Amino acid sequence: MHDWLRERNPRGCAFINASVELPEDHPGQEVAFQQKAWLRAYLGQLAAEAGASDPAGLADQLLILHEGACIANSMRSVDNAATRARQMADVLIEWAVSASSTAPGKPSGEDGDGAVATEPGVRTAVVGRGTP
């Protein structure tokens, strides 16, 4: 994503940009919607293939991260937006995949304190424990 944003889309996602600028009844709105629906379905397929406990839920979370990173990068409101989004995505994916293969309520890598190890010596709190 970092390379894609830097090399091909430094001004953000063309579909988001167009959607914001076009009137609600413009045919371009449907094109933008369909592209995001495609991306969400693709992420859901990848999540299912990875063994996520809730592929659709994970796809929603990853789509939100992707869109937010695109906007934050183009507006330069967050340094290294793609890298930060990737770090958060790694935590979400680990939680979603491990939740489907371990006992309910305690994904692997968790010590019971609501944090997940993402790198040696680094622990990240998992927000929204009810849904990955």
Side-chain angles (χ1 to χ4, degrees):
M1 180 176 195
H2 179 268
D3 292 340
W4 176 76
L5 286 172
R6 184 177 38 123
E7 296 170 9
R8 295 179 146 185
N9 292 294
R11 293 179 38 190
C13 173
F15 293 100
I16 293 172
N17 295 343
S19 180
V20 170
E21 295 296 328
L22 294 172
E24 285 185 33
D25 60 347
H26 191 283
Q29 291 287 358
E30 181 63 22
V31 173
F33 174 81
Q34 290 300 323
Q35 191 277 335
K36 298 307 173 183
W38 171 86
L39 181 56
R40 182 174 177 255
Y42 177 67
L43 293 170
Q45 177 184 354
L46 293 176
E49 291 172 7
S53 59
D54 177 10
L58 179 59
D60 289 346
Q61 292 170 329
L62 294 175
L63 182 63
I64 291 166
L65 280 176
H66 177 271
E67 302 303 282
C70 286
I71 293 168
N73 181 72
S74 68
M75 295 187 68
R76 295 172 178 68
S77 59
V78 175
D79 291 336
N80 303 309
T83 300
R84 293 178 187 272
R86 172 62 189 257
Q87 292 166 342
M88 293 186 314
D90 287 345
V91 172
L92 291 171
I93 293 166
E94 173 65 27
W95 196 90
V97 171
S98 65
S100 68
S101 62
T102 61
K106 187 164 177 151
S108 65
E110 184 175 328
D111 296 329
D113 64 354
V116 175
T118 57
E119 297 176 15
V122 177
R123 295 181 59 71
T124 305
V126 177
V127 179
R129 299 289 305 163
T131 303

